[in-house]
């Protein structure tokens, strides 16, 4: 019948759309892979990435479920944000610091569309610290199917892991590691400091111009693409598998 034929055609189109999204996601992830999260992307590479991004958004950017799809831990693959790129440039030019993985971890929003998000940066400070974690906590609010606003609250540094050299300096291997030495090592590795973000002046400025906003242009179960407003920096993140 004509109705069954129409349903079959619709089903085929849906399958073709799913295939196109999967194919263009693979293309985008492949083209950003060797850019060191954007640090190695020259103008030609950026144009190539933007083209691949636009192709993906053209087939999969319509159906975005922010409330249902945002929750989880997302790893940064690529950005054009000048808030982050200088960190990667310094990391490439110097051994004085090492920037590891960067994540955004979203809690599920409540009934009013509000939730919490953590921005997590893993790094190190050779030759003394093998690993240290910077966590910036924020609240977010869903403004629409495509927009969330962010309000940053606190920055915390913790999870320090000393290198062998760092341990040797704190507690030299040529000397007996007594209780005091071991306590110092433990205190360093348990070290944590949290700093509130925002002063009365900054709060007044935010009230005047509004909180930073992330415009989502693509979101599914494995990939998130957003653009910061103001500023326009692009963020491409891949969901961590549990």
């Amino acid at each position: 019948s004509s109705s069954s034929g129409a349903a079959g055609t619709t089903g085929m189109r849906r399958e073709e759309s799913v295939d196109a999204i999967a194919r263009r996601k693979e293309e985008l992830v492949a083209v950003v892979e060797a850019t060191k999260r954007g640090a190695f992307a020259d103008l030609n590479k950026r144009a190539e990435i933007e083209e691949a991004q636009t192709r993906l958004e053209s087939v999969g950017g319509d159906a975005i479920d922010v409330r249902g799809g945002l929750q989880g831990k997302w790893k940064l693959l690529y950005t054009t944000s000048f808030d982050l790129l200088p960190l990667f440039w310094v990391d490439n030019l110097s051994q004085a610091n090492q920037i590891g993985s960067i994540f955004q971890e979203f809690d599920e929003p409540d009934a009013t569309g509000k939730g919490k998000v953590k921005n997590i940066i893993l790094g190190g400070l050779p030759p003394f610290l093998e690993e240290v974690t910077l966590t910036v906590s924020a609240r977010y609010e869903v403004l629409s199917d495509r927009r969330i606003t962010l309000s940053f609250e606190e920055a915390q540094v913790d999870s320090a892991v000393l290198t062998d050299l760092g341990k040797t300096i704190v507690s030299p291997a040529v000397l007996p590691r007594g209780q005091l030495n071991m306590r110092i090592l433990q205190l360093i590795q348990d070290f944590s400091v949290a700093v509130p973000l925002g002063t009365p002046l900054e709060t007044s400025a935010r009230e005047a111009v509004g909180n930073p906003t992330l415009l989502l242009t693509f979101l599914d179960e494995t990939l998130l693409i957003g653009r910061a407003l103001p500023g326009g920096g692009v963020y491409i993140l891949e969901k961590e598998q549990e």
Side-chain angles (χ1 to χ4, degrees):
S1 66
S2 60
S3 60
S4 62
T9 301
T10 302
M12 288 176 62
R13 287 175 180 167
R14 189 177 296 115
E15 287 180 10
E16 289 173 359
S17 176
V18 170
D19 289 344
I21 291 171
R23 186 168 59 251
R24 292 181 182 182
K25 277 168 60 176
E26 288 178 3
E27 291 171 356
L28 178 58
V29 171
V31 78
V32 304
E33 192 171 15
T35 66
K36 191 76 172 180
R37 292 171 290 193
F40 289 170
D42 59 15
L43 290 177
N44 288 334
K45 177 59 74 172
R46 283 194 182 191
E48 185 182 355
I49 291 169
E50 186 172 352
E51 188 177 344
Q53 176 187 334
T54 302
R55 285 199 301 266
L56 172 59
E57 292 165 347
S58 70
V59 295
D62 293 333
I64 293 180
D65 179 12
V66 174
R67 290 177 181 266
L70 200 57
Q71 182 182 8
K73 189 173 185 179
W74 301 82
K75 182 178 181 179
L76 181 69
L77 299 182
Y78 172 81
T79 185
T80 62
S81 168
F82 281 100
D83 289 338
L84 286 176
L85 285 177
L87 293 177
F88 305 147
W89 293 332
V90 172
D91 182 36
N92 293 329
L93 294 172
S94 170
Q95 292 301 311
N97 66 77
Q98 293 177 350
I99 305 300
S101 297
I102 296 178
F103 300 96
Q104 280 197 317
E105 187 170 5
F106 289 90
D107 288 348
E108 184 177 9
D110 61 20
T112 65
K114 297 179 180 178
K116 294 183 177 181
V117 57
K118 292 180 180 178
N119 297 276
I120 303 166
I121 302 177
L122 306 181
L125 292 171
F128 306 113
L129 282 177
E130 182 177 315
E131 183 180 306
V132 66
T133 302
L134 170 64
T135 303
V136 179
S137 301
R139 292 185 179 274
Y140 74 90
E141 182 177 0
V142 178
L143 300 181
S144 71
D145 288 343
R146 292 181 176 273
R147 289 188 302 130
I148 63 171
T149 185
L150 301 168
S151 178
F152 296 100
E153 296 184 326
E154 181 183 83
Q156 180 171 334
V157 178
D158 58 14
S159 304
V161 177
L162 287 166
T163 63
D164 288 341
L165 176 60
K167 292 177 183 177
T168 300
I169 290 173
V170 173
S171 180
V174 295
L175 298 176
R177 291 198 177 185
Q179 186 174 356
L180 178 59
N181 301 83
M182 298 308 293
R183 181 62 180 148
I184 292 172
L185 285 173
Q186 193 63 46
L187 282 172
I188 291 174
Q189 298 191 136
D190 289 344
F191 170 79
S192 177
V193 61
V195 179
L197 297 177
T199 64
L201 180 62
E202 290 168 336
T203 301
S204 299
R206 281 201 303 271
E207 289 173 351
V209 302
N211 285 321
T213 298
L214 187 66
L215 175 66
L216 301 176
T217 57
F218 182 87
L219 175 65
D220 71 357
E221 64 278 1
T222 63
L223 201 68
L224 182 159
I225 303 175
R227 186 181 296 275
L229 302 173
V234 171
Y235 299 85
I236 300 176
L237 301 100
E238 188 172 47
K239 195 166 193 179
E240 288 283 282
Q241 301 302 313
E242 298 179 357

